[in-house]
Amino acid sequence: MLINWEAFLQVFVAALLGASIVVTFYALGLRLLVRGGRPPLVAPAEFTDAITVLSDKQRRRHEKAVAKAAKKNPLSEGQKRLSLLGSYACFAVCAAAVLGALLLILFNH
């Protein structure tokens, strides 16, 4: 059995670089989204074996805290808009990286 170490190294570097790009831009996108005044609020999934399930009262309290934090945001409307555009651009980079990787896998045989 002969191992092509050069190809192995290329795949390793590409996977490491791709994962780093996706994680970095996703984290930056979330940070800019919160900075822009739109923190993601995701209702918890209710499973029978769930560790934590929020009640309606807890969910309303959390939504109220999010709205209060958004009011305290010291940024101007232009800065908030710029942060939101930056976050959408970061998410677009993540989507492009994933789509590019899929296209590379599908058409590079």
Side-chain angles (χ1 to χ4, degrees), residues 32-86:
L32 288 173
L33 194 65
V34 170
R35 186 172 183 248
R38 293 200 182 158
L41 176 63
V42 178
E46 295 192 22
F47 299 105
T48 55
D49 295 334
I51 296 172
T52 303
V53 176
L54 294 178
S55 67
D56 287 334
K57 182 180 178 182
Q58 291 171 326
R59 185 181 48 77
R60 284 192 304 270
R61 189 178 326 148
H62 181 67
E63 289 172 352
K64 186 177 178 182
V66 167
K68 186 177 180 181
K71 287 181 184 178
K72 289 184 179 181
N73 194 338
L75 300 178
S76 69
E77 288 303 316
Q79 290 171 327
K80 288 180 185 179
R81 194 174 306 117
L82 188 62
S83 291
L84 287 175
L85 288 174

Side-chain angles (χ1 to χ4, degrees), residues 24-37 40 83 87 91:
T24 301
F25 278 97
Y26 187 77
L28 182 62
L30 278 179
R31 177 66 184 117
L32 288 173
L33 194 65
V34 170
R35 186 172 183 248
S83 291
S87 70
F91 293 141

